[in-house]
Amino acid sequence: MNAPERFFLPDIQATPDRRLVAIDRVGVKSIRHPVTLARLDGSTAPSVATFDMYVGLAHDQKGTHMSRFLELLQHHAQRPLDAGGIRALMDAMLQRLEARTGHIEARFPYFISKAAPVSKVQSLLDYDVTLQAQMNAQSRYRYTMKVVTAVTSLCPCSKEISAYGAHNQRSHITIEAELVPGASMGIEGLVAIAEAQASCEVYGLLKRPDEKYVTERAYDNPKFVEDLVRDIALALNQDIRIAAYTVESENFESIHNHSAYALIQRDKRIPE
Amino acid sequence: MNAPERFFLPDIQATPDRRLVAIDRVGVKSIRHPVTLARLDGSTAPSVATFDMYVGLAHDQKGTHMSRFLELLQHHAQRPLDAGGIRALMDAMLQRLEARTGHIEARFPYFISKAAPVSKVQSLLDYDVTLQAQMNAQSRYRYTMKVVTAVTSLCPCSKEISAYGAHNQRSHITIEAELVPGASMGIEGLVAIAEAQASCEVYGLLKRPDEKYVTERAYDNPKFVEDLVRDIALALNQDIRIAAYTVESENFESIHNHSAYALIQRDKRIPE
Amino acid sequence: MNAPERFFLPDIQATPDRRLVAIDRVGVKSIRHPVTLARLDGSTAPSVATFDMYVGLAHDQKGTHMSRFLELLQHHAQRPLDAGGIRALMDAMLQRLEARTGHIEARFPYFISKAAPVSKVQSLLDYDVTLQAQMNAQSRYRYTMKVVTAVTSLCPCSKEISAYGAHNQRSHITIEAELVPGASMGIEGLVAIAEAQASCEVYGLLKRPDEKYVTERAYDNPKFVEDLVRDIALALNQDIRIAAYTVESENFESIHNHSAYALIQRDKRIPE
Amino acid sequence: MNAPERFFLPDIQATPDRRLVAIDRVGVKSIRHPVTLARLDGSTAPSVATFDMYVGLAHDQKGTHMSRFLELLQHHAQRPLDAGGIRALMDAMLQRLEARTGHIEARFPYFISKAAPVSKVQSLLDYDVTLQAQMNAQSRYRYTMKVVTAVTSLCPCSKEISAYGAHNQRSHITIEAELVPGASMGIEGLVAIAEAQASCEVYGLLKRPDEKYVTERAYDNPKFVEDLVRDIALALNQDIRIAAYTVESENFESIHNHSAYALIQRDKRIPE
C-alpha cells in the first residue's frame, strides 16, 4: 500500500547515508495503546500500555520508517501482550523494518484481585509492569518482565529501640526477571515473591479486623530495606525458572522526606 | 456486613467530634481501577482510571469510613463510566457514607480511531479525560467533562515575518464543559470542537501523502495561542448543549523551552 | 530596542481583533529561573522557581507580547521573591503589558534547617512552596502562599484495635493562605503550624535516640486525616494574620496503594 | 559523636548477617539539597539538586548506616558540585561507610545565559544535568556528566514533500559523557555540541528579528532524529576529551502525540 506513493513523493529515508555511523536504536517512543493481557488462569484483562519500539540502523542507511512501527502496533494489539505476543511483535518488527536488532518496551498497570487477610473481602490491587524485549547483533533474544509491588515495610531498628510502636511506610519492590528458555511465569509469580517477603502485603479494601491483622503482622515481621532485597534475592535464587534478576526496594520513609533504597542484581548463568 | 465486627473492635470514626469544624472533603485519593467507557456508537471500551472520592463531613462527626469508598468503587466498576454512571456512583456514595455533599473525579486515557487525511489509514489517538461530579450543600449537582486534545499549532507571526517556514509545535487544548440539564455529549464532541479549530489535527499513523497534507494544512492555517482559545470559545458559545466551560491551550513552543498559554472561562448562565 | 524593528517586521499581535472575545489569561507557562528567597531572619537563600505569568486581554486586542514576560522576569529576578517582590513584578507586568488583570505563580523548593529532637544535629528539610498573585478586573489584589509540609501521620484506629504497633506513613500537608492586608508571615510560619499538629515532624537526619523519640512521639499522638486538617484549621482560625485558607492532608497509607485525603477551606471574611 | 549512643541503644545494623547475600547498592534516594555549581569562568551558581547515594554491602554485613549519608551530604554541600566535588564526596562516603563500592547521582537544573541570534538580548536557558559517579569492586572510578539540551528539530521529509512549510518541534538531546582521565569539560561543553548540530537552538527571550532568524535557520537546516544523533556522535568522536558517550534525541513530534527517538552509544576504548 505504501509503494505507489513513492512514485510521487520522494522517500528520503531510503537514500544511503555517508556519515557511516550506525544507530543503536531508532523508532517511536511513548505511544499509548489499549492492550489485552493474558492472565494465569487463561482469561484476559484489558489495560492501557505505553510503548517504545526501536530498531538498529546500519551505518549506510539514512533512516528508518516511523509509520511502520505504528502499523505493527495496530496489527498486533489484538493479540494478548505476554511473552509470546512480545516475541511475535519483535519478529514482525525486525522483518518489516529490515533490521537485525530491536528493542521493545511496554509499560502498563495490571490488576490482581486479592482477598483481605481476615474478612476475605475481595478487592483489586494495581501493579506497574514493564515488559522488555531485545534482539542483539548476535541474534540473542532477551525478554524481561519487571513488576513494581507496593508493600508495607516496618523498621526493625525503630521497633527495637522504642518503648512502643515502630515507624513503617509504603515501599515499592521492583523485580526485573529474565526467565530461562522455555520457562513460564506470570506477573502474579513475581508479585507473590515480593509480597511473601514484605513486612506485610498492602490491599485495596480492608475492614477493621483486617486492619488489626496487617498492623500486627507488620510489627511481628520488621524488615530493613536490606532485608527486603536479600530475602527476595534468596527466593529468586531458588526459583529455577529465573535466569537473571534485579531486585530493588524503595522505602518512602515515614520519618524522613527521602527514601531508603537497596538493589541486588544477579545473573545466575555467570559463576560468582 | 460491616456490623458484626463492631461488637469486637471499637469504631473510633463513629464517635462524636468536639472540635466542631466541618470538613469540606474527606475520602480516598489516587485509586487506580479498570473501567468500562461508553462510546457514542453504543459500544464500550475498556480503560484504566484513577479515582478520587470525597464526601463532606458535618462538624460533629469524628470521621468517615474509608473502606466504604472502595466497596462502592468495586460495585460500580461494572457499569459504564459516563454521565449516568458517575451520577449513580455519587448517589450511592452519599447514601452509603450518610453525607449531603460529595466530590468524585475519574481520570483516564480514551482512544478514538481516526482516519489519516489522505491515505485514510486508521489509527488510534489517545486523549486524557477527567470526569468530575460535585453535589453541594444546596443539593445542586454539577457534572463536568474535561478533555485534553493534542493538536498542531503554527505561529502566524513566525510565518509572516519569515521568508520561508514557520515554527510550529504540539499543543494541548483542554476543554472542561458543564452541560445543560438533559443535554447529551460524548468525549468525541469536545475533541471535535478542539480539533476543528487547531492549525491542524495530529494523528497516530501518517503516510507520506498525509504528512504533506498536515504540513501544508498547518502552514495555511496559522494560529496564535490566543486564536486557539478564542475560536474554540466561539464554537462553545454556539453549542447549546454547553452551559459553562473553560478552554485552555498550552503550546510547547518549538523555539523556546517554555510554553505559551491562554485560558477563557465562561458561564453562559451568568449575563456578561 | 524593540521599537525600530517595527518598521521592518509586522507586529501582528498589535492589530485589532474582530471576534470580540476577551481572554482571561494569556502569557507564558513553566519557565524555570533562578530566584533569591528572603528568609525570616533577614538573610537570603537561592532556589530555582518555575513561573507562570499571565495577563487578561481585552476583547478587541489581537494578542499579547510574549517576549515582554521574559524581560520582566529577568529584570525582577535579582530582587527577593517574597510578598513585596511578587507585588512589584505584578505592577510592572500590568504596566508593561498594558493590562488590567494579571496572574503570577512561582513554584520552588525551600529549605529549613531543623534540629533533630534529641541529638539536636542540624539538617535541611525541603518544602514545596507556591506563591500566587492575582489582580482582578475590580483592581482587587490577592496574594496567597502555599506550602507543602511532609509529616508523619499515625492511624488512631490501627493503634486502638491492634495488640501492638500502628500503621503510620508520610503525609503531605498543604496549607494555602491569604494574609490580611499589612500582615507579615514567612514560609516558616505555615510550616510551623503544619508540623505542630502532625503525629510527628519529619527530619533529614536522625540519630538513633532521635529515631526512638519520633517513633514514640507518633505513637503517643495518633491522628486521622480528619484530625490533621481540623487541628490545623483551628490553628489557622486563631491566627489573626490569616484572612482565608485551604488546608489539605494526603496520607500515603502504608497499608494501601492509595491515599487518604481531607480538605477544609475557609474565608474568614465571609460570615459562616 | 555517634559513638556514645551505642552504649544505650542497640545498633542492629552492625550485627553480622547470615544470609550471605551481598547487596550491590544500599543507601538513600531522592534527597533534595541546595548546591553550588562551578561555572567555566570560575564563578559559581546556586541550584537545587536531588541526590541518590549508595554503597555496596558485603555478604556478612547486616546493614548500612543511613544517617551517615545525610551527614556526608551536609558536610560536602558547601563545596562546588563538579568532577572534583563529586570525587571528594565519593571518597568520604566509602571511608565513612566502610565500603569498597559506591554510587552517587546528583540531578539539578543548570542555567546558561545566551544571547539571542540577532538582537543579542541576553536571557537564561535551563538544562537538566545529572552527574553520576561509581566506584566498582576493582576500584575503577567512573564519572559521567549527562546534559539534556532542548533544541528545535525540523523534519527534512516534511520539507521535501510539501509545497511550503515543514513540521518542526521541540526536541530533547541527551548526551552522557565519560571523560578521559585528566580531561576537563564543563556542562557548557556538552551543551555547545548539542546546540551546534540541531536544526536550531532554542532561547528564553526572542525579539521579532530573532524569531525570523530561528524560523529560517531551522528551515535551512532540516534534520531527522537519525541525523541529530549521528551528527552529534561525529562531534563526540572527534572530541579527544571524551572516552565514552551515549547520545539520545527525543523529538516531541508536532504532527503526532508520540515521540521520534534515536540513540547511539560508544566506548572509544573498545575497538569497533
Side-chain angles (χ1 to χ4, degrees):
Chain A
M1 278 144 289
N2 208 359
E5 74 196 46
R6 296 194 184 175
F7 295 105
F8 305 104
L9 294 173
D11 183 358
I12 294 181
Q13 285 98 329
T15 59
D17 196 86
R18 296 170 202 282
R19 279 162 298 197
L20 301 179
V21 177
I23 295 180
D24 295 280
R25 297 180 185 177
V26 58
V28 290
K29 186 174 170 65
S30 300
I31 304 171
R32 287 198 292 186
H33 212 275
V35 290
T36 300
L37 305 171
R39 291 198 170 281
L40 269 191
D41 62 6
S43 68
T44 58
S47 191
V48 173
T50 301
F51 283 88
D52 301 339
M53 298 172 70
Y54 312 131
V55 292
L57 195 69
H59 68 276
D60 58 350
Q61 280 181 283
K62 172 114 184 104
T64 192
H65 289 82
M66 296 290 179
S67 66
R68 295 183 189 173
F69 292 98
L70 276 292
E71 290 172 336
L72 286 159
L73 186 57
Q74 299 222 135
H75 292 154
H76 283 259
Q78 312 300 333
R79 181 168 176 171
L81 190 71
D82 56 8
I86 289 273
R87 179 63 200 250
L89 182 56
M90 173 67 81
D91 291 343
M93 181 176 81
L94 296 181
Q95 187 180 9
R96 184 81 179 90
L97 276 300
E98 297 164 31
R100 287 182 56 205
T101 65
H103 180 105
I104 296 173
E105 190 170 310
R107 300 174 290 276
F108 52 85
Y110 185 76
F111 295 89
I112 298 178
S113 185
K114 297 180 65 169
V118 177
S119 70
K120 304 302 177 193
V121 295
Q122 292 282 330
S123 63
L124 295 180
L125 195 66
D126 56 315
Y127 302 85
D128 278 309
V129 177
T130 303
L131 304 182
Q132 197 179 82
Q134 283 182 266
M135 182 71 81
N136 75 7
Q138 289 73 43
S139 297
R140 185 184 161 228
Y141 180 73
R142 184 165 179 265
Y143 170 73
T144 60
M145 180 166 57
K146 182 161 82 172
V147 181
V148 181
T149 302
V151 301
T152 307
S153 62
L154 186 138
C155 178
C157 172
S158 170
K159 176 180 173 180
E160 178 72 21
I161 64 180
S162 304
Y164 38 79
H167 78 79
N168 53 79
Q169 52 270 319
R170 203 186 297 165
S171 298
H172 280 177
I173 291 174
T174 304
I175 303 176
E176 181 169 9
E178 183 180 351
L179 300 188
V180 297
S184 168
M185 191 176 202
I187 293 164
E188 285 83 353
L190 293 183
V191 166
I193 289 171
E195 293 186 339
Q197 304 303 332
S199 290
C200 192
E201 302 180 35
V202 308
Y203 299 87
L205 174 50
L206 292 173
K207 311 298 289 183
R208 263 187 302 278
D210 302 312
E211 187 170 353
K212 173 179 166 60
Y213 174 88
V214 297
T215 301
E216 296 172 358
R217 161 79 183 152
Y219 193 80
D220 286 334
N221 196 26
K223 299 244 184 163
F224 286 118
V225 72
E226 293 94 335
D227 296 321
L228 289 169
V229 294
R230 274 180 166 145
D231 292 342
I232 292 168
L234 288 177
L236 295 166
N237 285 344
Q238 284 166 10
D239 194 313
I240 58 170
R241 295 171 297 182
I242 293 169
Y245 65 83
T246 302
V247 53
E248 298 165 272
S249 183
E250 178 171 6
N251 297 7
F252 303 98
E253 300 288 286
S254 66
I255 61 170
H256 296 302
N257 200 20
H258 60 260
S259 299
Y261 175 88
L263 174 151
I264 295 173
Q265 191 162 36
R266 189 173 167 208
D267 188 333
K268 299 185 194 175
R269 297 159 299 195
I270 299 171
E272 290 189 90
Chain B
M1 281 140 290
N2 209 359
E5 73 195 49
R6 297 194 183 175
F7 295 105
F8 304 102
L9 294 173
D11 184 358
I12 294 181
Q13 284 97 330
T15 58
D17 197 87
R18 293 169 204 284
R19 278 163 300 196
L20 301 179
V21 177
I23 295 180
D24 295 280
R25 296 181 185 176
V26 58
V28 291
K29 185 173 169 67
S30 300
I31 303 171
R32 287 198 292 186
H33 212 275
V35 291
T36 301
L37 304 172
R39 290 198 171 282
L40 267 192
D41 63 5
S43 68
T44 59
S47 190
V48 173
T50 301
F51 283 89
D52 302 338
M53 297 172 71
Y54 312 130
V55 293
L57 195 69
H59 68 276
D60 57 350
Q61 281 180 282
K62 173 109 184 107
T64 192
H65 289 81
M66 297 289 180
S67 66
R68 296 183 188 172
F69 292 99
L70 276 292
E71 291 171 336
L72 286 159
L73 187 56
Q74 298 222 136
H75 292 153
H76 283 259
Q78 311 300 334
R79 181 167 175 170
L81 191 71
D82 56 6
I86 289 274
R87 180 62 199 252
L89 182 56
M90 173 67 82
D91 290 343
M93 181 175 81
L94 296 181
Q95 187 180 9
R96 184 83 178 90
L97 276 301
E98 298 164 30
R100 289 182 56 205
T101 64
H103 179 104
I104 295 172
E105 190 169 310
R107 302 175 289 277
F108 51 85
Y110 185 77
F111 295 88
I112 299 178
S113 184
K114 297 180 64 169
V118 178
S119 70
K120 304 299 176 194
V121 295
Q122 292 281 330
S123 62
L124 294 180
L125 196 66
D126 56 316
Y127 302 84
D128 279 310
V129 177
T130 303
L131 304 182
Q132 196 179 83
Q134 283 182 266
M135 181 72 80
N136 74 6
Q138 289 74 44
S139 296
R140 185 186 162 229
Y141 181 73
R142 185 165 179 265
Y143 170 73
T144 60
M145 182 165 56
K146 183 160 81 172
V147 181
V148 180
T149 302
V151 302
T152 307
S153 63
L154 187 138
C155 178
C157 171
S158 169
K159 175 180 173 179
E160 179 72 21
I161 64 180
S162 304
Y164 39 79
H167 78 80
N168 52 77
Q169 52 270 319
R170 202 187 297 165
S171 299
H172 281 178
I173 290 174
T174 304
I175 303 177
E176 181 170 8
E178 183 180 351
L179 301 188
V180 298
S184 169
M185 189 176 203
I187 294 163
E188 286 82 352
L190 292 183
V191 166
I193 290 172
E195 293 186 339
Q197 305 303 332
S199 290
C200 191
E201 301 180 37
V202 307
Y203 300 86
L205 175 50
L206 293 173
K207 311 297 289 180
R208 261 187 304 278
D210 302 313
E211 187 169 353
K212 173 179 166 61
Y213 174 89
V214 298
T215 302
E216 296 172 357
R217 160 79 183 153
Y219 194 81
D220 286 334
N221 195 26
K223 299 245 184 163
F224 286 117
V225 72
E226 293 94 334
D227 296 321
L228 289 169
V229 294
R230 273 178 165 144
D231 292 342
I232 293 168
L234 287 176
L236 294 166
N237 285 345
Q238 284 166 10
D239 194 312
I240 58 168
R241 295 171 297 181
I242 292 169
Y245 65 82
T246 303
V247 53
E248 298 165 272
S249 183
E250 178 171 4
N251 297 8
F252 303 98
E253 301 287 287
S254 66
I255 61 170
H256 297 300
N257 200 21
H258 60 260
S259 298
Y261 175 87
L263 175 151
I264 295 173
Q265 190 161 36
R266 187 175 169 208
D267 188 334
K268 299 186 194 173
R269 297 159 300 196
I270 299 171
E272 291 188 89
Chain C
M1 273 144 295
N2 208 1
E5 73 195 47
R6 297 196 182 174
F7 295 104
F8 305 102
L9 295 172
D11 183 358
I12 293 181
Q13 285 99 327
T15 59
D17 197 86
R18 295 168 203 283
R19 279 162 299 197
L20 301 180
V21 177
I23 295 180
D24 295 281
R25 296 181 186 176
V26 59
V28 290
K29 186 175 168 65
S30 300
I31 304 171
R32 286 198 293 185
H33 212 276
V35 290
T36 300
L37 305 172
R39 290 199 171 281
L40 268 192
D41 61 5
S43 68
T44 59
S47 191
V48 173
T50 302
F51 282 88
D52 301 339
M53 298 171 71
Y54 311 131
V55 292
L57 195 69
H59 68 275
D60 58 349
Q61 281 180 282
K62 174 117 183 99
T64 192
H65 289 82
M66 296 291 181
S67 66
R68 296 183 189 174
F69 292 98
L70 276 291
E71 290 172 336
L72 286 159
L73 187 56
Q74 300 223 135
H75 291 154
H76 283 259
Q78 311 301 334
R79 181 167 176 172
L81 191 71
D82 55 8
I86 289 274
R87 180 62 199 252
L89 182 56
M90 173 67 81
D91 290 343
M93 180 175 81
L94 296 182
Q95 187 181 9
R96 183 83 178 92
L97 275 301
E98 297 164 32
R100 287 183 55 205
T101 64
H103 179 106
I104 296 173
E105 190 170 309
R107 301 175 290 278
F108 52 85
Y110 185 76
F111 296 88
I112 298 178
S113 184
K114 297 180 66 171
V118 177
S119 70
K120 304 301 175 190
V121 295
Q122 292 282 331
S123 63
L124 294 180
L125 195 66
D126 56 316
Y127 302 84
D128 278 311
V129 177
T130 303
L131 304 182
Q132 198 179 81
Q134 283 182 266
M135 180 72 80
N136 74 6
Q138 290 74 43
S139 297
R140 185 184 161 229
Y141 181 72
R142 186 167 178 264
Y143 170 72
T144 61
M145 181 166 55
K146 182 161 80 173
V147 181
V148 181
T149 302
V151 301
T152 307
S153 63
L154 186 139
C155 178
C157 173
S158 171
K159 175 181 173 180
E160 178 73 21
I161 65 181
S162 303
Y164 38 79
H167 78 77
N168 53 77
Q169 52 270 321
R170 203 186 298 165
S171 299
H172 280 177
I173 290 175
T174 305
I175 303 176
E176 181 170 8
E178 182 180 351
L179 301 188
V180 297
S184 168
M185 190 175 202
I187 293 163
E188 285 84 352
L190 293 183
V191 166
I193 290 171
E195 293 187 340
Q197 305 303 331
S199 291
C200 192
E201 301 180 35
V202 307
Y203 298 87
L205 174 51
L206 293 173
K207 311 298 289 181
R208 263 188 302 280
D210 303 312
E211 186 169 354
K212 174 180 166 60
Y213 174 88
V214 298
T215 301
E216 296 172 358
R217 161 79 183 154
Y219 193 80
D220 286 334
N221 195 25
K223 299 245 184 162
F224 286 118
V225 72
E226 293 93 334
D227 296 321
L228 289 169
V229 294
R230 273 178 166 148
D231 292 342
I232 293 168
L234 288 177
L236 294 167
N237 285 344
Q238 283 165 9
D239 194 314
I240 58 169
R241 295 171 297 182
I242 293 169
Y245 65 83
T246 303
V247 52
E248 298 166 271
S249 183
E250 178 170 7
N251 297 6
F252 303 98
E253 300 288 287
S254 66
I255 62 170
H256 297 301
N257 201 20
H258 61 260
S259 299
Y261 174 88
L263 174 151
I264 295 174
Q265 191 162 36
R266 188 173 167 210
D267 188 334
K268 298 185 194 176
R269 296 160 298 195
I270 299 171
E272 291 188 87
Chain D
M1 278 144 292
N2 209 0
E5 73 194 48
R6 296 194 183 174
F7 295 104
F8 304 103
L9 294 173
D11 183 359
I12 295 182
Q13 285 99 329
T15 59
D17 197 86
R18 294 169 202 284
R19 277 162 300 197
L20 302 179
V21 178
I23 296 180
D24 295 280
R25 295 180 187 177
V26 58
V28 290
K29 186 174 168 67
S30 300
I31 304 172
R32 288 197 291 186
H33 212 276
V35 290
T36 300
L37 305 171
R39 291 200 170 281
L40 268 192
D41 62 6
S43 67
T44 59
S47 190
V48 173
T50 301
F51 283 88
D52 302 338
M53 298 171 71
Y54 312 131
V55 293
L57 195 68
H59 68 277
D60 57 351
Q61 280 179 283
K62 174 114 185 102
T64 193
H65 289 82
M66 296 291 180
S67 65
R68 296 184 189 172
F69 292 100
L70 276 292
E71 290 172 335
L72 287 158
L73 187 56
Q74 299 222 135
H75 292 152
H76 283 260
Q78 312 300 334
R79 183 169 174 168
L81 191 71
D82 55 7
I86 289 272
R87 180 62 200 251
L89 182 56
M90 173 66 82
D91 290 342
M93 181 175 80
L94 297 181
Q95 187 181 8
R96 183 84 179 91
L97 276 301
E98 296 163 33
R100 288 183 55 205
T101 64
H103 179 104
I104 295 173
E105 189 169 310
R107 302 176 288 278
F108 53 85
Y110 185 76
F111 295 89
I112 298 177
S113 185
K114 298 180 65 169
V118 178
S119 71
K120 304 301 176 192
V121 295
Q122 291 282 330
S123 62
L124 295 180
L125 196 66
D126 56 316
Y127 302 83
D128 278 310
V129 177
T130 303
L131 303 183
Q132 198 179 82
Q134 284 181 265
M135 180 72 80
N136 76 5
Q138 289 75 43
S139 296
R140 187 188 160 225
Y141 181 74
R142 186 167 178 263
Y143 170 73
T144 60
M145 182 166 56
K146 182 161 81 172
V147 181
V148 181
T149 302
V151 302
T152 306
S153 63
L154 186 139
C155 179
C157 173
S158 170
K159 174 180 175 180
E160 178 72 22
I161 65 181
S162 304
Y164 37 80
H167 78 79
N168 52 77
Q169 53 270 318
R170 202 187 298 165
S171 299
H172 280 177
I173 290 174
T174 304
I175 303 177
E176 181 171 8
E178 183 181 350
L179 301 188
V180 297
S184 168
M185 189 176 203
I187 294 164
E188 286 83 352
L190 293 183
V191 165
I193 290 171
E195 293 186 340
Q197 304 303 331
S199 290
C200 191
E201 301 180 37
V202 308
Y203 299 86
L205 173 51
L206 293 172
K207 312 297 290 180
R208 262 187 303 278
D210 302 312
E211 186 169 354
K212 173 179 166 61
Y213 175 88
V214 296
T215 302
E216 296 172 358
R217 161 78 183 153
Y219 193 81
D220 286 335
N221 195 26
K223 299 244 183 163
F224 286 117
V225 72
E226 293 93 335
D227 296 320
L228 289 169
V229 293
R230 274 177 165 145
D231 292 342
I232 293 169
L234 288 176
L236 294 167
N237 285 344
Q238 284 165 10
D239 194 313
I240 59 168
R241 296 170 296 181
I242 292 169
Y245 65 83
T246 303
V247 53
E248 298 166 271
S249 183
E250 178 170 6
N251 298 5
F252 303 98
E253 300 287 288
S254 67
I255 63 170
H256 297 300
N257 199 22
H258 60 260
S259 298
Y261 174 88
L263 174 150
I264 294 173
Q265 191 162 37
R266 188 176 169 208
D267 188 334
K268 299 185 194 175
R269 297 160 299 194
I270 300 171
E272 290 186 270

